[in-house]
Amino acid sequence: MQFKALLIDAYRQLSAAKLFWVTVGISVLVVVCYGSVGFNEQGISVLFGVWEIESEQLHSGSPWARGLYIGIFSSFLVKIWLAWIATILALISTCSIFPEFVHSGSIELTISKPIGRLKLFFSKYLVSLLFVVLQVAIFCLGIFICVGLRVGEWNPFIFTAIPIVATFFSYLFAVCVLVGILTRSGITALLITGVFWMALWSIQTSEGTLNRFVTEQHVSIERFNEGIDNAEKDLAEITEKSVDDFRIPKFEKRIETFNADIEESQELLGKLEQWHTPISWVLAISPKNAQTIGLLDRWLSDPDGFDIGAIMSGDMSSIEGEEVEEFDRTTRGARERETTRRLRDDYESRSLWYVIGTSLIFECVILGIASFYFCRKDF
Amino acid sequence: MIQLQDVEKMYRGKVHALRGVSLEVMDGEIFGLLGPNGAGKSTLVKIIMTVIHATRVSGTLLEKPIGNRKILEDIGYLPEHHRFPYYLTGKQVLHHYAALANVSRKDRITRASSFLSRLGLNGWENKKVGSYSKGMLQRLGIAQALMNDPKLLVLDEPTDGVDPVGRREIRDLLAELRDEGRAVFLNSHLLSELEMVCDRVAIMVKGKVTMQGTIESLTQDSRRYEIETEESVPTWAKEVVDDVSEHLMVIRSDDPAIIQPILDRLRRDQITILSVKPVRENLEDLFMRAVDHTDTPGAVQ
């Protein structure tokens, strides 16, 4: 009964806020825009057929059409609209919930009721996530209907965006709650949460960039060693036939260059590791909001291999369909392709426990501090 | 109903808000707690309602140890300067807080309409509380405190901002609640209000209860008769009365038999008696006497 009372109160509080309805309105607009894109036998139709683009690959029934349509949702709408714009609006709307809750004159009325402070705190926290849950649920329902009507796929996995975005938002909201309870100021809570979010983004971007460089150096060293092995093998074969072969100095030079490159890569790797290792530890204990949102991409990935997100980030393997045969595996292009592949494998092999589990541990610690303060506080 | 012994509250090791408060509130009585600003009245009320943690407390509330949350189901509370969520209507406020107090939906519906009517808020139940006046918010606050059909009602400044008619209605309501066998614990600055309605009072000064009892018993020592004469008070009067001035004699007693021989003697001496008044301290006098010796208001640092 008490949880239900808090839930109803949270809904009334949200529905009384204009921003809630503004966000719902924008969400509906985004869904309508999304739904205005469709496929026919000739190609793509935009704005409910106002504009038509002919395409051999993208037409009704083609796997690429499905990949593009779902990909727009998981790679753009979720990552840009839900994970950024709607989250900012949600933070603005909810940042004052806890400061108002603990405001003098208000909190006395609630904590003098027969409900434990810990239960009250966590109930209030959970019902405060209602804003995001409702917003994303409305959004996903619209997307679900659009995907069903446009590409004929009634994909229930679209609704996994609800827990994913709510979990992602909860990492930030936990910080907002802690600051809100400590300072009793919604604006301060919002600003500090914003700073925290930017810090997380910086950590994740730094780790991602450094990881790319580190992986690149590992690939380079491996490929150069492989190049040396091949060159030595070729050299041995040539030398066996004739010690005066004109290609011998060329191979020797090649081996020498590989050795120099390996030395350079190892030196660079050492320097990069100095930064990458501590940052990856910091990331390990931080909430992984980008990776949490990225889970949706993983779960909605196209079985036919079309991945618009990967394409946009330069990974063309889904279009190329099969591994590109490498004539020379030591070239920059070959190494970059291998680096991208390994990074994608590494990212996709990160377990749910690593992505969500460690983030939730961080959230639990923050909420533990906030709830301890709330339970001990004299109001 | 409430038995408190030796309640101590020290804020962050600096401010000694309560210094061994002991008091008792019995069934079916209206108990008033008064004291100057910073005396620790609200702190004491908040400790009773588990809003503040006491540094040391012993005693019982509805026969359960202080701090037991279950008993809060049987206590109604109106905090001072309360703030209801602006987005709720009067009726929603009553339902929300009653639901938190585990009141069934059926009882909530019945009681909400009954208390809104009893407290003169008919016609306002579906309006947002943001549009309520201060007095209306106080009435709504009292209705909120009554929604769980409490055995004990704790009201912190219940008539704050309420007009004289509203105050009278609240006083009548409190008297009705007392007659129903409920205890009412009142914390107020309005001494005249308390005097009219309280059965017993306690006066707190600097975190301590300095006086406690019925108004009758606390003012017992101050009862006296004052005899005013037209002529100067005769010289013999100094030997038979407690206090004299030019035209006034003061006899410290509430027994009318004691003053009869003095009146007879005055008449024999042909002294004109202008008035004979039985005098008793009111609550304000009592309060002023209790706080008179304190140098500065506020808690002990």
Side-chain angles (χ1 to χ4, degrees):
Chain A
M1 188 192 292
Q2 292 167 328
F3 185 80
K4 190 180 163 193
L6 290 168
L7 190 68
I8 293 170
D9 180 59
Y11 172 73
R12 285 179 178 148
Q13 186 174 7
L14 292 176
S15 58
K18 283 180 188 152
L19 199 56
F20 176 79
W21 296 108
V22 168
T23 314
V24 169
I26 302 174
S27 278
V28 169
L29 194 67
V30 171
V31 169
V32 169
C33 291
Y34 181 70
S36 76
V37 178
F39 301 94
N40 53 32
E41 285 179 1
Q42 282 75 43
I44 308 170
S45 77
V46 182
L47 293 174
F48 300 104
V50 170
W51 185 29
E52 297 205 343
I53 306 162
E54 285 188 14
S55 170
E56 283 181 16
Q57 283 81 31
L58 294 166
H59 55 80
S60 57
S62 83
W64 282 29
R66 183 263 179 207
L68 177 73
Y69 210 64
I70 300 258
I72 289 173
F73 167 65
S74 62
S75 298
F76 295 102
L77 298 187
V78 171
K79 284 183 183 170
I80 295 170
W81 167 241
L82 289 182
W84 279 98
I85 304 167
T87 300
I88 290 169
L89 294 175
L91 278 174
I92 294 170
S93 302
T94 56
C95 68
S96 59
I97 289 181
F98 269 81
E100 275 179 23
F101 177 57
V102 298
H103 197 287
S104 176
S106 170
I107 186 69
E108 292 95 326
L109 284 164
T110 312
I111 56 173
S112 60
K113 300 295 180 231
I115 178 169
R117 286 199 187 188
L118 198 63
K119 184 182 169 191
L120 178 64
F121 175 85
F122 281 104
S123 300
K124 187 76 184 169
Y125 177 76
L126 288 175
V127 299
S128 301
L129 296 175
L130 190 69
F131 183 99
V132 170
V133 172
L134 277 178
Q135 293 285 353
V136 183
I138 293 167
F139 188 72
C140 286
L141 183 66
I143 297 293
F144 177 74
I145 293 168
C146 290
V147 171
L149 294 175
R150 290 303 191 181
V151 292
E153 181 178 310
W154 299 95
N155 190 343
F157 276 100
I158 286 170
F159 291 103
T160 54
I162 302 171
I164 285 178
V165 177
T167 307
F168 157 84
F169 177 77
S170 73
Y171 306 154
L172 301 172
F173 190 58
V175 175
C176 192
V177 166
L178 175 63
V179 180
I181 278 193
L182 291 176
T183 65
R184 296 191 189 195
S185 160
I187 294 289
T188 311
L190 181 65
L191 287 175
I192 293 182
T193 306
V195 169
F196 172 73
W197 193 3
M198 287 306 109
L200 279 185
W201 182 82
S202 306
I203 291 167
Q204 286 169 31
T205 308
S206 307
E207 197 277 339
T209 310
L210 285 168
N211 193 26
R212 168 167 275 279
F213 286 138
V214 167
T215 309
E216 200 174 344
Q217 299 319 310
H218 279 298
V219 169
S220 297
I221 292 166
E222 277 175 33
R223 290 286 168 96
F224 292 148
N225 276 324
E226 204 179 294
I228 290 172
D229 287 347
N230 289 338
E232 280 176 347
K233 208 193 296 171
D234 291 343
L235 187 63
E237 277 174 21
I238 293 164
T239 314
E240 205 176 277
K241 287 177 189 165
S242 164
V243 289
D244 299 324
D245 194 307
F246 71 96
R247 289 175 293 177
I248 290 173
K250 194 179 158 193
F251 276 106
E252 282 172 347
K253 175 75 181 162
R254 189 169 165 81
I255 290 167
E256 198 181 311
T257 310
F258 279 144
N259 277 322
D261 288 342
I262 288 172
E263 206 173 305
E264 195 183 325
S265 291
Q266 277 172 338
E267 195 184 330
L268 187 57
L269 184 63
K271 284 179 187 168
L272 288 168
E273 292 279 19
Q274 276 182 344
W275 291 97
H276 180 242
T277 308
I279 286 183
S280 47
W281 275 108
V282 173
L283 180 67
I285 56 164
S286 307
K288 288 144 210 72
N289 45 6
Q291 290 180 30
T292 303
I293 286 290
L295 285 173
L296 200 63
D297 237 356
R298 267 204 235 173
W299 293 344
L300 287 173
S301 64
D302 186 0
D304 296 310
F306 184 93
D307 184 348
I308 192 169
I311 293 166
M312 293 304 288
S313 61
D315 178 6
M316 306 299 282
S317 59
S318 63
I319 291 179
E320 287 155 353
E322 55 192 50
E323 286 280 319
V324 175
E325 287 290 330
E326 306 282 9
F327 176 72
D328 183 351
R329 286 157 57 87
T330 62
T331 61
R332 175 173 288 276
R335 282 183 281 132
E336 274 178 5
R337 273 194 292 280
E338 177 63 10
T339 303
T340 305
R341 191 190 60 76
R342 283 194 193 182
L343 284 171
R344 192 185 62 229
D345 290 350
D346 171 46
Y347 171 69
E348 286 181 358
S349 69
R350 286 181 191 179
S351 64
L352 199 63
W353 152 247
Y354 173 78
V355 177
I356 289 189
T358 54
S359 305
L360 289 179
I361 287 175
F362 177 89
E363 186 178 337
C364 287
V365 170
I366 296 292
L367 289 178
I369 297 167
S371 60
F372 178 78
Y373 181 81
F374 180 75
C375 292
R376 297 298 310 153
K377 172 82 178 157
D378 288 334
F379 290 101
Chain B
M1 195 60 72
I2 303 178
Q3 279 190 319
L4 294 176
Q5 284 117 35
D6 209 17
V7 183
E8 292 262 349
K9 177 63 188 174
M10 180 84 91
Y11 284 109
R12 294 181 183 182
K14 288 175 186 168
V15 180
H16 210 161
L18 297 180
R19 299 183 296 149
V21 172
S22 300
L23 56 81
E24 189 175 2
V25 179
M26 286 172 279
D27 290 3
E29 77 167 0
I30 301 178
F31 185 91
L33 182 65
L34 43 148
N37 292 334
K41 304 185 299 294
S42 289
T43 299
L44 184 65
V45 167
K46 286 180 177 182
I47 285 172
I48 292 170
M49 296 310 302
T50 72
V51 174
I52 284 180
H53 304 277
T55 308
R56 189 173 69 212
V57 63
S58 64
T60 58
L61 189 59
L62 302 178
E63 292 166 5
K64 293 273 166 46
I66 303 279
N68 183 320
R69 292 210 154 260
K70 186 72 183 160
I71 53 166
L72 296 174
E73 279 183 11
D74 292 322
I75 302 174
Y77 174 48
L78 172 71
E80 189 183 10
H81 307 308
H82 59 275
R83 273 172 30 128
F84 292 126
Y86 67 93
Y87 48 84
L88 296 182
T89 64
K91 198 198 258 179
Q92 287 171 344
V93 163
L94 297 188
H95 275 265
H96 173 63
Y97 289 106
L100 288 178
N102 290 327
V103 178
S104 70
R105 184 174 160 76
K106 189 180 154 200
D107 287 340
R108 291 201 306 264
I109 292 168
T110 318
R111 289 177 197 166
S113 101
S114 159
F115 288 126
L116 284 167
S117 159
R118 200 166 165 183
L119 283 148
L121 292 169
N122 266 342
W124 285 83
E125 60 267 38
N126 294 319
K127 293 200 164 68
K128 294 269 163 67
V129 294
S131 63
Y132 282 30
S133 69
K134 181 81 194 294
M136 289 165 75
L137 286 171
Q138 283 300 111
R139 287 162 189 246
L140 185 66
I142 294 171
Q144 171 274 138
L146 289 168
M147 282 293 286
N148 55 337
D149 192 21
K151 291 177 184 159
L152 168 67
L153 196 60
V154 179
L155 305 174
D156 204 345
E157 304 289 355
T159 52
D160 188 19
V162 181
D163 61 35
V165 177
R167 283 183 193 176
R168 186 177 185 143
E169 285 170 3
I170 290 171
R171 275 204 309 273
D172 291 346
L173 175 69
L174 296 181
E176 277 175 42
L177 294 169
R178 172 184 52 198
D179 296 343
E180 288 168 12
R182 300 172 212 266
V184 181
F185 187 101
L186 274 179
N187 182 11
S188 178
H189 285 108
L190 296 173
L191 302 177
S192 55
E193 294 286 328
L194 288 177
E195 190 163 16
M196 277 187 263
V197 76
C198 287
D199 300 306
R200 291 196 310 126
V201 294
I203 300 178
M204 273 185 77
V205 181
K206 294 208 166 193
K208 276 190 168 178
V209 173
T210 55
M211 290 182 187
Q212 186 174 180
T214 61
I215 296 174
E216 197 77 8
S217 68
L218 292 173
T219 56
Q220 185 70 39
D221 293 344
S222 70
R223 285 166 186 263
R224 61 191 185 271
Y225 281 97
E226 289 179 358
I227 303 169
E228 195 182 357
T229 58
E230 192 170 70
E231 295 84 9
S232 293
V233 171
T235 50
W236 55 261
K238 285 177 187 163
E239 288 162 20
V240 296
V241 302
D242 297 304
D243 210 357
V244 287
S245 60
E246 184 66 27
H247 298 281
L248 190 72
M249 287 185 278
V250 177
I251 300 105
R252 296 195 189 283
S253 170
D254 58 347
D255 184 2
I258 289 178
I259 61 164
Q260 299 311 316
I262 298 168
L263 295 174
D264 293 343
R265 198 167 168 183
L266 286 170
R267 286 196 191 96
R268 271 203 307 274
D269 292 351
Q270 294 187 331
I271 290 172
T272 309
I273 300 167
L274 290 176
S275 67
V276 179
K277 283 192 294 187
V279 178
R280 195 200 81 175
E281 267 186 335
N282 60 22
L283 196 54
E284 189 174 336
D285 300 326
L286 192 67
F287 179 82
M288 294 310 291
R289 187 152 56 86
V291 302
D292 195 33
H293 61 278
T294 62
D295 42 3
T296 50
V300 176
Q301 300 282 323

